Amino acid sequence: MFRPKLPTMPQPTGTVTPPAVIEPTTITPSAPATPSAPIAPAQVPVSSRPTVQLTPGTALALVGGGTAVVLVVGAVLVSMLLAVAVTGASVAVCAVVLRSLLNSDAKRR
């Protein structure tokens, strides 16, 4: 009753085909192709993407945005730390109150 029942592995049904035999092939080297036309010097491709120009206004916006992100993340972290501290203090106060209630109840008996 308390022993687990393990399923048995079913036997394969139908015909089982043997694995295919792979025959090795030989590689024959061929002669390298010679270029018929002279090769022109490489040209620099023109990029279709616009270049990003950092002006003083955009730099100021980036600095302002980064500062805002740091301040928001800092405020969230400080509020979480404060929540943990308040929770810990309230648990400590509850523990002291319960301890005093249990001790006073034991002294009355």
Side-chain angles (χ1 to χ4, degrees):
M1 182 172 143
F2 293 108
R3 292 185 184 174
K5 293 182 180 179
L6 299 175
T8 58
M9 191 71 167
Q11 297 297 326
T13 58
T15 58
V16 178
T17 58
V21 178
I22 300 173
E23 301 273 340
T25 58
T26 58
I27 299 173
T28 57
S30 62
T34 57
S36 59
I39 298 174
Q43 295 178 354
V44 178
V46 177
S47 176
S48 62
R49 295 184 342 186
T51 58
V52 177
Q53 295 178 353
L54 193 61
T55 62
T58 55
L60 188 62
L62 285 174
V63 169
T67 304
V69 167
V70 167
L71 289 177
V72 168
V73 169
V76 168
L77 291 177
V78 167
S79 64
M80 289 172 63
L81 181 65
L82 183 63
V84 169
V86 167
T87 304
S90 65
V91 167
V93 168
C94 288
V96 168
V97 169
L98 283 175
R99 184 174 142 193
S100 68
L101 286 174
L102 291 174
N103 283 340
S104 67
D105 188 37
K107 288 180 181 178
R108 287 184 193 166
R109 290 185 184 179

